[in-house]
Amino acid sequence: MANFQKLTPRSEDYSKWYNELVVKADLAEQSAVRGCMVIKPYGYAIWETIQSELDRRFKEQGVKNAYFPLLIPKSFLSREAEHVEGFAKECAVVTHHRLMNDPNGKGVVVDPNARLEEELIIRPTSETIIWSTYKNWISSYRDLPILCNQWCNVMRWEMRTRLFLRTAEFLWQEGHTAHATKEEAEEYARKMLDVYADFAEKVMAIPVIKGVKSPNERFAGALNTYCIEAMMQDGKALQAGTSHFLGQNFAKSFEVQFLSKENKYEYVWATSWGVSTRLMGALIMTHSDDNGLVLPPALAPIQVVIVPIFKKEDDLALLLDKLNPIADNLKRMGIRVQIDASDKSTPGFKFADYEMKGVPVRLAMGGRDLQNGTIEIARRDTMTKETIAIDGIEATIKNLLDEIQVNCYNKAMTYRTANIRECDSYEEFKQEIQKGGFLLCHWDGTPETEEKIKEETKATIRCIPLEALPGYKEEPGKCMVTGKPSPRRVVFAIAY
Amino acid sequence: MANFQKLTPRSEDYSKWYNELVVKADLAEQSAVRGCMVIKPYGYAIWETIQSELDRRFKEQGVKNAYFPLLIPKSFLSREAEHVEGFAKECAVVTHHRLMNDPNGKGVVVDPNARLEEELIIRPTSETIIWSTYKNWISSYRDLPILCNQWCNVMRWEMRTRLFLRTAEFLWQEGHTAHATKEEAEEYARKMLDVYADFAEKVMAIPVIKGVKSPNERFAGALNTYCIEAMMQDGKALQAGTSHFLGQNFAKSFEVQFLSKENKYEYVWATSWGVSTRLMGALIMTHSDDNGLVLPPALAPIQVVIVPIFKKEDDLALLLDKLNPIADNLKRMGIRVQIDASDKSTPGFKFADYEMKGVPVRLAMGGRDLQNGTIEIARRDTMTKETIAIDGIEATIKNLLDEIQVNCYNKAMTYRTANIRECDSYEEFKQEIQKGGFLLCHWDGTPETEEKIKEETKATIRCIPLEALPGYKEEPGKCMVTGKPSPRRVVFAIAY
């Protein structure tokens, strides 16, 4: 049941607001297992739409889905030096394959005789197991490219977890491609970044900056990590998706060679790219307000809810005579609509609940509307409502949903634009970065300078943008810390 | 690349035929992790269609998808006595959450300081973690029913594994429902069995017997296990899906009570139901032949393949002028069609490969066809082909796909009918059961008799049919072993 208590306002405690919203909007909750979440049906319905929208886009790029094992032999991790550094410190280790009755009491204990010869790791990501498989699939240039993706769960033993944003187990997709040339692989990694950016902006209504990570922030084992970065309503950055150019690192670690057209053995070139249930966190923190979730219609499990307002069963029947045909028409138009005629709760309760859940459009009809041939239409994004004629309501709703989708994006873009600024003095930077937002600064390109800034301010380089941001020019300058030359400004922010 | 070697014929070695087919049809392969498989893109595409067909049917029954944690605290298993008996002996146990560099050499070892306080089990099934969650979701009859499903991976540490049929990790869906009354829960378990049976027959073209398990074969923790049983081409039985009435067992173990309409606290009633990637094994063993996979069109990733036969590029262009519009028309009709105009392999190679992969309809067109306005059309199920006029080919193909779907089912049904027989003498039974097939026998209803039969013949009671099989009457009789009274015949078989 929905909880009627108001959310803590964002201005009071943004973090608390987020945690409360996730639970009260019925999206997810903590489970009995530390750091692992339960994704509730309403939250999962949003994730299913994210999945199907992305899956269609992947398939348009020639990608095919497959499935690789959950468990990875411990020794596989060590094959790629940086990879093991990046993942060994936070992984769930399977050491035994049997329990037995506790000889000293009730319950069960690990059977000491069922120890595995080699420990197995629950996948934190699947490069190693997949490249050990690709070795068998690839012998000639004719076998390339391979473009596989899997939708699955992964596990990274995070110490501090938050629903959707950072959980020990999360759901994601990971694409893994194999190519004959460096150029083709690098181009594919870039192409998938475009797919992510297009999805984020069109479907999630989240403006993103496309960029490349500095070496410090690269994926463990990658030569280049491309990313899309979004700005949350508290001015912090959230990395919403990454696409890695892996070079020949994994092909070399797992000895994957192919016979080229020129009849020479060469190592295969690789990419990998992924987005996760973290996107749910980005969605929430980009659009929602103090009344609860705000959903862009493209991702709303219920796009339109219709609430008849009645006292007697007879009144309800009359209202439904009018409302059922509207719902049927909307369904035929491909709109996800639901009539809530239950008498379990009051209209006021229902309104608050659908607001909390971010249903984009709400229709309400009572006795007076019935007489007048009118209906009340309310939009969630602006919290405005008006009473309009019932005739032609379907077209009005269709247009309104499109409008809300655009408005969600524009609102987020306006916020982002207002919170990006250039900064050329490190002293100023230290002050400014605490106010939130993205700062565009010159940087000398060294890890040392990056480290120093991170230590002193907690800000990191979110990305080196692939193109100048709207309203800004790409120009060389001098590093704000060392004064050394810098080819272009990079994006600094404090990040989730 | 496809492997051109022929399959071992079924008559020679059925088991070998199966193992070869799974690999050569590019469905799945063994991974580097013992007992865990890689599901290859072609196999996974079939699984995706199975998923989407089932998912739609579930949602029509009011089911919503959700996601629960992969890991289960060890102590949860012990809460339900039978459940722990059933699953503790074959589970992957996570004991640590970190690796560290090996102080004595290369590679990584388990960090002894990162031992978990309580071990975690990779879910073999999720009743325990889900009922520990439902406790927080349920307080009143108003919260019921809860109808959740999850699509996920599970793990059971099987000692002897076979691709799809028995693997340590497999993919499945598990539905878990909570109800206010016993009647409603039992009815729901039955309803989901009907959903499975309908899906198996209509989509997979596999005839199934709906029945209930004997107590020996029940799911660990269930009061009743309903099942659908299919007959493979070697006469063995394969359990294709189960739906459990769990009574109040899990509600009691996890203290899940609700306040009824009558204002009394009562324990909640439960069901669970699942099908897995094992269905892929059933699909293969029901329809396929010595030339490879045979797919009912409803599940075929490619329903129609079109192969132009050409020597020069110019010839190909002329052929494609004719073939592209056909492919476009078929796509518009919702048919999954693919033109294979690559010059990487010969038509003969392509034909054999698409036969191995079970593509239901193959069209081939060469120079002479072009002159004559004809095309060769071949169907995979009967391995017949003919040359027909190209005009109106789309309607012909549509009808042919429907016909193949029906023929797959009918062929399987004919085989099953020919291999079911009644048997009233235990001496005869011992001989007959070795020939394969299902034997309909009277049984006195005791676990002792069932055990004795299993030990002496390896046959088990597959199910007590819910209704008499076609052509048979439900009549009482005497147990073939003990002579004690029996209300009806049950189905015996040797099972996968």
Side-chain angles (χ1 to χ4, degrees):
Chain A
M1 296 300 278
N3 190 329
F4 249 127
Q5 291 168 299
K6 284 263 179 200
L7 296 173
T8 300
R10 287 164 293 173
S11 56
E12 196 180 306
D13 187 337
Y14 191 81
S15 174
K16 200 169 172 196
W17 165 83
Y18 175 84
N19 294 341
E20 289 176 1
L21 190 155
V22 171
V23 171
K24 289 190 183 171
D26 258 350
L27 300 174
E29 63 184 37
Q30 298 291 354
S31 77
V33 184
R34 205 199 62 82
C36 295
M37 65 182 158
V38 172
I39 306 179
K40 299 184 80 173
Y42 191 66
Y44 199 84
I46 299 171
W47 177 242
E48 279 182 302
T49 310
I50 291 176
Q51 285 188 302
S52 78
E53 287 280 348
L54 279 171
D55 201 65
R56 185 170 55 73
R57 285 170 163 81
F58 296 161
K59 283 174 178 158
E60 283 168 8
Q61 300 298 332
V63 174
K64 291 183 175 178
N65 288 331
Y67 188 76
F68 298 88
L70 170 71
L71 299 178
I72 296 178
K74 190 189 67 181
S75 60
F76 278 27
L77 279 189
S78 312
R79 296 247 201 135
E80 216 289 329
E82 288 182 22
H83 199 69
V84 67
E85 269 305 305
F87 291 106
K89 281 169 193 150
E90 45 174 37
C91 59
V93 189
V94 177
T95 56
H96 291 75
H97 63 79
R98 195 163 57 226
L99 299 175
M100 57 182 243
N101 291 324
D102 185 350
N104 303 320
K106 273 185 81 173
V108 283
V109 293
V110 174
D111 183 342
N113 294 321
R115 193 176 174 89
L116 296 173
E117 264 183 55
E118 179 181 5
E119 294 90 351
L120 299 166
I121 310 306
I122 299 181
R123 61 182 163 219
T125 179
S126 300
E127 277 76 9
T128 58
I129 190 83
I130 287 179
W131 279 88
S132 86
T133 306
Y134 280 180
K135 183 178 170 59
N136 305 321
W137 294 5
I138 298 170
S139 57
S140 142
Y141 71 92
R142 286 197 176 85
D143 303 325
L144 297 172
I146 293 176
L147 312 172
C148 277
N149 175 63
Q150 73 174 348
W151 290 96
C152 66
N153 52 347
V154 287
M155 189 150 244
R156 298 175 187 179
W157 208 268
E158 304 282 355
M159 277 302 140
R160 294 181 59 189
T161 65
R162 286 187 76 188
L163 292 170
F164 291 124
L165 294 173
R166 196 173 288 277
T167 47
E169 181 191 16
F170 55 92
L171 304 184
W172 80 343
Q173 59 68 218
E174 47 180 326
H176 296 268
T177 70
H179 304 268
T181 67
K182 180 182 177 183
E183 293 67 33
E184 191 186 300
E186 186 120 37
E187 189 189 321
Y188 205 87
R190 280 290 316 274
K191 191 196 280 184
M192 295 317 290
L193 188 77
D194 289 342
V195 168
Y196 286 151
D198 180 71
F199 165 79
E201 304 206 326
K202 301 264 173 57
V203 181
M204 303 193 75
I206 301 177
V208 293
I209 297 173
K210 290 192 279 188
V212 62
K213 288 285 181 194
S214 61
N216 274 13
E217 300 279 329
R218 254 181 222 148
F219 176 76
L223 298 194
N224 248 336
T225 287
Y226 298 98
C227 62
I228 50 173
E229 295 284 329
M231 187 190 291
M232 303 296 99
Q233 287 181 58
D234 59 351
K236 279 172 133 178
L238 189 141
Q239 174 181 298
T242 48
S243 181
H244 314 294
F245 168 60
L246 303 171
Q248 295 172 310
N249 284 352
F250 288 92
K252 285 180 179 165
S253 301
F254 289 89
E255 290 163 27
V256 189
Q257 289 190 309
F258 71 101
L259 199 60
S260 73
K261 274 188 189 166
E262 293 74 31
N263 227 34
K264 284 197 293 195
Y265 280 104
E266 292 177 25
Y267 285 108
V268 179
W269 298 86
T271 82
S272 68
W273 28 275
V275 298
S276 74
T277 36
R278 200 164 202 238
L279 284 179
M280 296 285 294
L283 183 73
I284 296 161
M285 288 200 294
T286 301
H287 304 299
S288 302
D289 62 25
D290 292 347
N291 298 301
L293 193 61
V294 173
L295 286 174
L299 286 179
I302 307 165
Q303 295 172 313
V304 179
V305 65
I306 307 180
V307 182
I309 297 172
F310 61 100
K311 291 211 173 109
K312 291 176 298 182
E313 283 298 313
D314 293 356
D315 298 342
L316 174 60
L318 290 172
L319 288 166
L320 288 179
D321 281 347
K322 282 282 177 199
L323 296 175
N324 281 330
I326 295 175
D328 291 343
N329 289 337
L330 292 174
K331 272 180 205 159
R332 264 191 294 274
M333 293 159 75
I335 292 169
R336 296 186 284 272
V337 58
Q338 190 171 294
I339 296 182
D340 182 350
S342 92
D343 57 0
K344 285 188 186 171
S345 53
T346 65
F349 186 102
K350 289 178 186 178
F351 286 12
D353 192 36
Y354 291 117
E355 274 163 22
M356 183 65 79
K357 291 203 164 95
V359 175
V361 173
R362 182 187 74 221
L363 302 177
M365 193 183 214
R368 186 173 300 173
D369 289 310
L370 198 59
Q371 287 176 344
N372 299 345
T374 57
I375 198 161
E376 186 188 86
I377 184 166
R379 55 188 281 186
R380 176 63 185 88
D381 59 335
T382 56
M383 291 292 278
T384 53
K385 58 188 179 183
E386 57 179 328
T387 297
I388 61 170
I390 205 169
D391 296 330
I393 184 86
E394 294 89 348
T396 305
I397 289 170
K398 175 90 180 75
N399 292 336
L400 184 55
L401 288 172
D402 293 344
E403 194 182 319
I404 294 172
Q405 182 77 25
V406 171
N407 184 52
C408 285
Y409 179 82
N410 288 345
K411 217 170 146 184
M413 190 55 149
T414 302
Y415 178 82
R416 192 186 83 176
T417 305
N419 288 282
I420 294 185
R421 52 207 184 276
E422 296 184 340
C423 180
D424 289 322
S425 139
Y426 187 45
E427 283 314 304
E428 197 189 316
F429 179 91
K430 287 181 193 169
Q431 306 290 321
E432 285 295 310
I433 201 71
Q434 302 313 324
K435 299 178 190 162
F438 292 178
L439 292 182
L440 303 176
C441 310
H442 284 293
W443 161 61
D444 63 15
T446 68
E448 293 75 22
T449 304
E450 191 178 0
E451 268 311 324
K452 175 185 160 77
I453 296 170
K454 188 176 177 182
E455 268 169 37
E456 293 176 357
T457 68
K458 288 187 183 153
T460 49
I461 297 177
R462 300 319 303 152
C463 69
I464 303 156
L466 295 181
E467 51 198 36
L469 270 57
Y472 293 90
K473 268 189 279 188
E474 194 176 289
E475 284 175 330
K478 286 179 180 169
C479 175
M480 65 171 171
V481 178
T482 63
K484 290 185 192 160
S486 147
R488 66 179 67 77
R489 288 175 190 274
V490 301
V491 178
F492 279 93
I494 294 175
Y496 276 95
Chain B
M1 297 298 278
N3 188 330
F4 249 130
Q5 292 168 300
K6 284 261 178 202
L7 297 173
T8 300
R10 287 163 293 173
S11 56
E12 197 180 306
D13 188 336
Y14 191 81
S15 173
K16 202 170 171 194
W17 164 82
Y18 175 84
N19 294 340
E20 289 176 2
L21 189 156
V22 171
V23 172
K24 289 190 181 169
D26 259 350
L27 300 174
E29 65 184 35
Q30 297 292 353
S31 77
V33 184
R34 205 198 63 82
C36 295
M37 64 182 159
V38 172
I39 306 179
K40 299 184 78 173
Y42 191 67
Y44 199 84
I46 299 171
W47 177 243
E48 280 182 301
T49 311
I50 291 175
Q51 285 188 303
S52 78
E53 286 279 348
L54 278 171
D55 201 65
R56 184 170 54 75
R57 285 171 164 79
F58 295 160
K59 283 174 178 159
E60 283 168 9
Q61 301 298 332
V63 175
K64 292 185 174 175
N65 289 332
Y67 189 75
F68 298 88
L70 170 72
L71 299 178
I72 297 178
K74 190 188 67 177
S75 59
F76 278 27
L77 279 188
S78 312
R79 296 245 201 136
E80 214 290 331
E82 288 181 22
H83 199 69
V84 67
E85 269 303 305
F87 291 106
K89 281 169 193 150
E90 44 174 40
C91 60
V93 190
V94 177
T95 56
H96 292 75
H97 62 80
R98 194 164 57 225
L99 299 175
M100 55 181 245
N101 291 324
D102 185 350
N104 303 318
K106 273 184 79 169
V108 282
V109 293
V110 174
D111 182 342
N113 294 323
R115 192 175 174 91
L116 295 173
E117 263 183 57
E118 179 180 5
E119 294 90 351
L120 298 167
I121 309 305
I122 298 183
R123 63 183 160 218
T125 180
S126 301
E127 277 76 9
T128 57
I129 190 82
I130 287 179
W131 279 87
S132 86
T133 307
Y134 280 0
K135 183 177 169 61
N136 305 322
W137 295 5
I138 299 169
S139 56
S140 140
Y141 71 93
R142 287 195 175 85
D143 302 324
L144 298 172
I146 292 177
L147 312 172
C148 277
N149 175 65
Q150 73 175 348
W151 290 95
C152 66
N153 52 347
V154 287
M155 189 150 245
R156 298 175 187 179
W157 208 269
E158 303 282 355
M159 277 304 143
R160 295 181 59 190
T161 64
R162 287 187 74 189
L163 293 170
F164 292 125
L165 294 173
R166 197 173 287 277
T167 46
E169 182 190 16
F170 55 91
L171 304 184
W172 80 344
Q173 59 68 216
E174 47 180 325
H176 296 269
T177 70
H179 306 266
T181 67
K182 180 183 176 183
E183 293 67 33
E184 191 186 298
E186 187 120 38
E187 191 190 321
Y188 204 86
R190 280 292 316 276
K191 191 196 280 185
M192 295 318 290
L193 189 76
D194 290 342
V195 168
Y196 286 151
D198 180 72
F199 165 78
E201 305 207 325
K202 302 265 174 54
V203 180
M204 304 194 74
I206 301 177
V208 292
I209 298 173
K210 291 192 278 188
V212 61
K213 288 286 181 194
S214 60
N216 274 11
E217 302 278 329
R218 254 180 221 149
F219 174 77
L223 298 193
N224 249 336
T225 288
Y226 298 97
C227 61
I228 50 172
E229 295 283 329
M231 188 190 290
M232 303 295 99
Q233 286 181 61
D234 60 351
K236 279 173 136 177
L238 188 143
Q239 175 182 298
T242 49
S243 181
H244 314 294
F245 169 61
L246 302 171
Q248 296 172 310
N249 284 351
F250 287 94
K252 285 180 179 165
S253 301
F254 289 89
E255 290 162 27
V256 189
Q257 290 191 308
F258 70 101
L259 199 60
S260 72
K261 275 188 189 168
E262 294 74 32
N263 228 32
K264 284 197 293 196
Y265 280 104
E266 292 177 26
Y267 285 108
V268 180
W269 298 85
T271 82
S272 68
W273 28 275
V275 298
S276 73
T277 34
R278 203 167 200 232
L279 284 178
M280 296 287 292
L283 182 73
I284 296 161
M285 290 202 291
T286 300
H287 303 300
S288 303
D289 62 24
D290 292 347
N291 298 302
L293 192 62
V294 174
L295 286 175
L299 287 179
I302 308 165
Q303 295 173 313
V304 179
V305 66
I306 307 180
V307 181
I309 298 172
F310 60 100
K311 292 209 173 108
K312 291 176 298 183
E313 283 297 314
D314 294 356
D315 298 343
L316 175 60
L318 290 172
L319 287 165
L320 288 179
D321 281 348
K322 282 282 177 200
L323 295 174
N324 281 330
I326 296 176
D328 291 343
N329 289 337
L330 292 174
K331 271 179 205 160
R332 264 192 292 274
M333 293 159 74
I335 292 170
R336 296 186 285 270
V337 60
Q338 192 171 295
I339 296 182
D340 182 351
S342 92
D343 57 0
K344 284 188 184 170
S345 53
T346 66
F349 185 102
K350 290 179 184 177
F351 286 12
D353 191 36
Y354 291 118
E355 274 162 23
M356 183 65 80
K357 291 204 164 95
V359 176
V361 173
R362 181 187 76 221
L363 301 178
M365 194 183 216
R368 186 172 301 172
D369 288 312
L370 198 60
Q371 287 176 345
N372 298 344
T374 57
I375 197 161
E376 186 187 85
I377 183 165
R379 57 188 279 187
R380 176 63 185 86
D381 60 335
T382 57
M383 291 291 279
T384 53
K385 58 187 178 184
E386 58 180 327
T387 297
I388 61 170
I390 206 169
D391 295 331
I393 184 83
E394 293 89 347
T396 305
I397 289 170
K398 174 90 180 75
N399 292 335
L400 183 56
L401 288 171
D402 292 344
E403 194 183 320
I404 294 173
Q405 183 76 24
V406 171
N407 184 52
C408 284
Y409 179 82
N410 288 345
K411 217 170 145 183
M413 190 55 148
T414 302
Y415 178 82
R416 191 186 84 176
T417 305
N419 288 282
I420 294 185
R421 50 207 185 278
E422 295 184 340
C423 180
D424 290 322
S425 140
Y426 187 46
E427 284 314 304
E428 199 188 314
F429 179 92
K430 289 180 192 169
Q431 307 290 320
E432 286 294 310
I433 202 71
Q434 302 314 323
K435 299 177 191 162
F438 292 178
L439 292 181
L440 303 176
C441 310
H442 283 293
W443 162 61
D444 62 15
T446 68
E448 294 75 23
T449 303
E450 190 179 359
E451 267 312 322
K452 175 185 160 77
I453 296 170
K454 186 176 179 182
E455 268 168 35
E456 293 176 357
T457 68
K458 289 187 182 154
T460 49
I461 297 177
R462 299 320 304 153
C463 69
I464 303 156
L466 295 180
E467 51 199 37
L469 271 58
Y472 293 91
K473 267 189 278 189
E474 193 176 289
E475 283 175 329
K478 286 179 179 169
C479 175
M480 66 170 172
V481 178
T482 63
K484 289 184 192 161
S486 148
R488 66 180 65 78
R489 290 174 188 276
V490 301
V491 178
F492 279 94
I494 294 174
Y496 277 95

